Amino acid sequence: MSNPATAPQNIESSLVENRVFPPPADFAAKARLGHPADFDALYKLSVEHPDVFWAKEAAELQWTAPWSTVLEWNAPFAKWFVGGQLNVAANCLDRHLDARRDKPAIIWEGEPGDGRTLTYGELHAEVCRFANVLKSKGIAPGDRVILYLPLVPEAAVAMLACARIGAVHSVIFGGFSADSIKDRLADSGAKFIVTADGGWRRGKVVPLKANVDAALKDSNGAVTGVIVLQRTKNEVPMTAGRDTWWHDETAAASPDAPAESFDSEHPLFILYTSGSTGKPKGILHTSGGYLLGTYCSTKYVFDLRDDDIYWCTADVGWITGHSYVVYGPLANGATVFMYEGAPDTPAPDRWWDLIERHRITICYTAPTAIRAFIKWGDQHPAGHDLSSLRLLGTVGEPINPEAWMWFHEKIGGGRCPIVDTWWQTETGGHMITPLPGVTPTKPGTATRPFFGVDAAIVDDAGAEVGPNVGGKLVIRKPWPSMLRSIWGDEDRYVKTYWSEFGEKGYYFTGDGARRDADGYFWIVGRIDDVLNVAGHRLGTSEIESALVAHPAVAEAAVVGKPDEIKGQGVVAFVTVKGGQTPSKELADALKKHVGASIGAIARPDEIRFTDALPKTRSGKIMRRLLKEVASGQAVTGDTTTLEDLGILAKLQASED
Ligand code: PRX
């Protein structure tokens, strides 16, 4: 008899969601793409003749030398727009100056309530100044520069200044520690750092410069300079000969810096994925294809128009901040809103206050934030005028239908389409997503593939499975904004993404999913997290969604623990909503509730109530830690990405 825990089998999926929300007629009437037939024709073209589709889109960007070939695919290595040359920063700035010089490019608000607006003309001048500063420091094309900054306009300025001179930026999220900086410095071989004295978070100063100093303490001097932005005005030691102030450096710099041309495949940035396991991977993105992917998806998925005030709430330290705070929207000439601080400072209605005051029209955020807002209470958004909003979006993890409905009703007033966008640091841009003027949405699914994306669900042998059968999510054709490699580790690139189905030339996403009868993709979680209960493979997100649909539950994380009989048992970590009290009765009710909504096989063996769940700083639940806690093992491995270490101690204590 085969071992139920190892027998290959398709992932079972039984979450039923029957609500469908067609695009509102008035939205569709004004949308760039408002007729399903137009979308179908364009999608067909994009996958059957990607060269034609992408060449047409790419022609909307500014190239200084034409490409000879759209795609050279030497699996698994892609080159897009071979021979083409461009400057990514010029595409985000200079290209707009004639028509949009006085249009706000960035409207920023700091946590303490200070603010700043930079027009395209002003942003262009700042970027040129900083590009000149970097050049004067000896930074040459291909050199790596670490950016470790708060969410301030200068973060975008520094990214674009690197792009302008062909330097490769590696942004490190401001919440990471000195050790994380040290690892990334060593791996990237960066020789320059741009940081700030601090950043504001919940009224406290995040000690950015102090972390950089600690990271450089025993370094071998590979870092030749550190430029420090003065943000919080706390006292910071400056190392003579190495550290200088941003304001001193830029004061004398010229606001003109000619945009040089770079090859389409010139590296643009390295972004380390925080990953819930193992050594961080330096995901490498290059210029032409990445810019095109983010430009094109921003245009279609957010149906962007010139008068939008667009807010993507992500930090620039994540791929979402790269693609949808900086490159995608600025390449479209959009007005980008940025907010530095925490959503509950000074009060839990900060975001709704920002939307009301700045008349924000598009809000793109993460399910984890939405669930926090649900927990804090409906009175916070209810006290604000959110009528400026016309479109909402989510990214980062499967959104449970409960949170989707709340976002739709309480924030979108029932009138705004929601684009649930599935993608990854590796994919660079949106891959599976609704287009708001044409795609009927269903709560909990990212719906259909974006232009040029050939996504499929396959079994362990790589054969496509039928409707509603769970399997592995793969991408069968290359796309412009795909990662090109893992920095300094080509073998790991090939092994991680191309070994599972490499002989077929499929990219393996690492996600489990199913496709419903309408062709919509439902992500059920990372394959590594799939449970195997008595020979049934169950994704974690459906069980979590079922739990969160119970009125008492705020958030849930499900993991497996070894079980002699079933292979794995189901353990659910649950936080309750305000006003609810954990009890044995509630635990029993929740088990029953999951059994009734999904089936007896998914019924949790254990419910563990907790005050909070361990999350990475980007809001992803750290299931590896929970697995270890659930099975009573000591917690091993890297916990530096954990947002609040105190949670771990509490979880362990709750076992006793
Ligand atoms: O598991 C999927 C989940 O997040 C993973 C990618 O994480 P990261 O590289 O940090 O990028 C996050 C921002 C793009 C995916 O493999 N994920 C992301 N978006 C969704 C999602 N799962 C379901 N639905 C989504 N919309």
Side-chain angles (χ1 to χ4, degrees):
M1 208 177 86
S2 68
N3 175 353
T6 55
Q9 201 170 2
N10 292 321
I11 299 166
E12 295 176 25
S13 181
S14 28
L15 184 79
V16 179
E17 175 56 68
N18 293 321
R19 292 169 286 200
V20 180
F21 295 84
D26 55 337
F27 191 102
K30 292 185 216 137
R32 182 172 267 110
L33 272 177
H35 301 286
D38 295 346
F39 167 78
D40 293 343
L42 210 50
Y43 179 75
K44 192 164 182 285
L45 173 73
S46 75
V47 285
E48 289 177 3
H49 302 285
D51 293 17
V52 177
F53 176 83
W54 289 118
K56 186 169 163 291
E57 289 293 324
E60 294 179 13
L61 298 175
Q62 182 188 76
W63 297 82
T64 49
W67 62 85
S68 55
T69 312
V70 171
L71 168 67
E72 205 179 277
W73 180 227
N74 216 331
F77 300 100
K79 284 188 182 156
W80 283 88
F81 305 104
V82 181
Q85 293 197 345
L86 78 170
N87 185 293
V88 170
N91 271 280
C92 294
L93 300 168
D94 310 41
R95 194 160 65 90
H96 306 307
L97 288 183
D98 284 346
R100 301 189 177 96
R101 185 178 291 273
D102 297 324
K103 175 181 173 171
I106 295 178
I107 300 175
W108 171 79
E109 190 166 313
E111 192 183 81
D114 49 343
R116 194 172 163 206
T117 296
L118 286 167
T119 63
Y120 270 91
E122 289 163 343
L123 183 61
H124 175 262
E126 295 253 332
V127 168
C128 288
R129 274 194 198 98
F130 202 63
N132 286 327
V133 169
L134 290 175
K135 265 187 147 171
S136 75
K137 299 286 173 188
I139 307 295
D143 286 349
R144 275 81 61 208
V145 176
I146 297 264
L147 309 180
Y148 183 63
L149 288 159
L151 191 49
V152 291
E154 287 82 355
V157 169
M159 289 164 78
L160 291 164
C162 287
R164 194 165 191 91
I165 64 166
V168 181
H169 60 71
S170 186
V171 183
I172 302 179
F173 173 55
F176 281 133
S177 61
D179 279 347
S180 311
I181 304 172
K182 212 170 164 177
D183 292 348
R184 287 156 174 77
L185 260 176
D187 191 82
S188 66
K191 65 175 195 187
F192 208 83
I193 301 183
V194 183
T195 188
D197 48 359
W200 290 110
R201 187 86 188 162
R202 295 210 165 82
K204 295 208 178 77
V205 171
V206 181
L208 299 171
K209 174 64 163 61
N211 288 342
V212 167
D213 287 337
L216 292 179
K217 203 159 155 250
D218 328 298
S219 76
N220 55 11
V223 170
T224 56
V226 178
I227 291 184
V228 187
L229 175 78
Q230 195 169 44
R231 163 69 189 130
T232 44
K233 300 211 162 82
N234 49 312
E235 192 77 25
V236 292
M238 299 289 277
T239 302
R242 188 194 71 186
D243 303 350
T244 52
W245 288 105
W246 175 295
H247 52 266
D248 290 340
E249 294 283 6
T250 50
S254 158
D256 285 316
E260 289 165 53
S261 299
F262 295 101
D263 191 273
S264 176
E265 283 299 331
H266 185 77
L268 181 64
F269 64 85
I270 303 166
L271 183 60
Y272 287 88
T273 53
S274 61
S276 11
T277 51
K279 170 176 176 266
K281 295 176 279 196
I283 304 299
L284 176 68
H285 283 287
T286 59
S287 302
Y290 173 80
L291 184 70
L292 178 62
T294 54
Y295 164 75
C296 180
S297 52
T298 305
K299 179 177 72 170
Y300 287 115
V301 175
F302 299 121
D303 189 41
L304 211 60
R305 51 198 64 248
D306 235 1
D307 56 359
D308 272 318
I309 312 280
Y310 161 94
W311 184 22
C312 165
T313 66
D315 190 278
V316 288
W318 311 118
I319 190 68
T320 309
H322 284 58
S323 302
Y324 297 110
V325 176
V326 179
Y327 291 110
L330 295 179
N332 276 280
T335 294
V336 174
F337 177 75
M338 275 165 95
Y339 166 59
E340 175 188 32
D344 52 356
T345 305
D349 67 342
R350 182 68 187 264
W351 279 22
W352 320 125
D353 175 55
L354 291 171
I355 290 174
E356 178 173 7
R357 278 191 293 110
H358 294 279
R359 304 302 294 159
I360 287 163
T361 60
I362 299 176
C363 177
Y364 183 41
T365 191
T368 180
I370 297 169
R371 286 192 300 267
F373 294 131
I374 297 175
K375 199 172 171 183
W376 294 343
D378 295 357
Q379 69 278 19
H380 301 298
H384 291 276
D385 173 9
L386 305 179
S387 62
S388 56
L389 289 170
R390 66 178 196 92
L391 178 68
L392 303 174
T394 66
V395 56
E397 55 175 322
I399 181 163
N400 46 297
E402 210 56 29
W404 195 101
M405 289 304 300
W406 186 90
F407 199 35
H408 174 70
E409 287 166 4
K410 309 288 182 211
I411 307 305
R415 73 183 180 278
C416 304
I418 298 180
V419 288
D420 169 357
T421 60
W422 178 90
W423 58 294
Q424 306 178 301
T425 304
E426 291 86 344
T427 70
H430 299 150
M431 298 296 278
I432 300 178
T433 173
L435 294 192
V438 289
T439 317
T441 52
K442 306 180 198 180
T445 164
T447 76
R448 293 187 301 214
F450 183 64
F451 295 126
V453 175
D454 180 14
I457 312 289
V458 299
D459 63 19
D460 290 342
E464 189 165 10
V465 298
N468 287 317
V469 178
K472 293 175 175 170
L473 176 61
V474 297
I475 312 294
R476 296 186 290 199
K477 286 200 181 86
W479 64 100
S481 63
M482 66 192 282
L483 80 165
R484 298 302 194 263
S485 190
I486 291 176
W487 180 257
D489 201 345
E490 213 159 71
D491 283 353
R492 192 172 176 201
Y493 167 69
V494 176
K495 255 192 224 124
T496 310
Y497 306 107
W498 304 93
S499 61
E500 191 108 358
F501 305 110
E503 77 286 357
K504 289 183 183 276
Y506 297 175
Y507 166 85
F508 179 40
T509 63
D511 282 359
R514 78 181 155 95
R515 198 169 190 181
D516 70 16
D518 295 327
Y520 283 23
F521 287 79
W522 297 76
I523 308 296
V524 302
R526 301 290 296 166
I527 283 288
D528 294 347
D529 297 329
V530 166
L531 310 179
N532 196 324
V533 182
H536 300 268
R537 290 176 76 190
L538 304 172
T540 49
S541 82
E542 291 191 355
I543 309 179
E544 288 160 6
S545 285
L547 283 163
V548 179
H550 189 281
V553 175
E555 260 198 308
V558 165
V559 296
K561 72 164 189 183
D563 182 293
E564 268 179 29
I565 298 164
K566 297 195 287 185
Q568 275 187 312
V570 179
V571 180
F573 290 83
V574 168
T575 64
V576 293
K577 284 194 186 141
Q580 300 285 337
T581 322
S583 65
K584 164 106 182 40
E585 288 68 41
L586 180 58
D588 289 342
L590 293 179
K591 289 180 188 174
K592 233 195 208 154
H593 170 77
V594 173
S597 7
I598 304 186
I601 192 70
R603 190 186 154 102
D605 298 276
E606 257 183 72
I607 301 276
R608 293 197 186 190
F609 294 106
T610 164
D611 290 344
L613 294 170
K615 292 188 189 158
T616 63
R617 290 168 195 272
S618 62
K620 284 200 201 327
I621 291 165
M622 295 182 77
R623 288 201 175 70
R624 176 178 56 81
L625 292 187
L626 289 176
K627 271 185 220 165
E628 289 171 341
V629 172
S631 56
Q633 294 167 11
V635 172
T636 56
D638 186 14
T639 52
T640 53
T641 55
L642 184 62
E643 177 153 66
D644 175 3
L645 270 171
I647 289 170
L648 184 58
K650 279 195 205 150
L651 283 171
Q652 285 166 319
S654 74
E655 284 171 71
D656 305 326

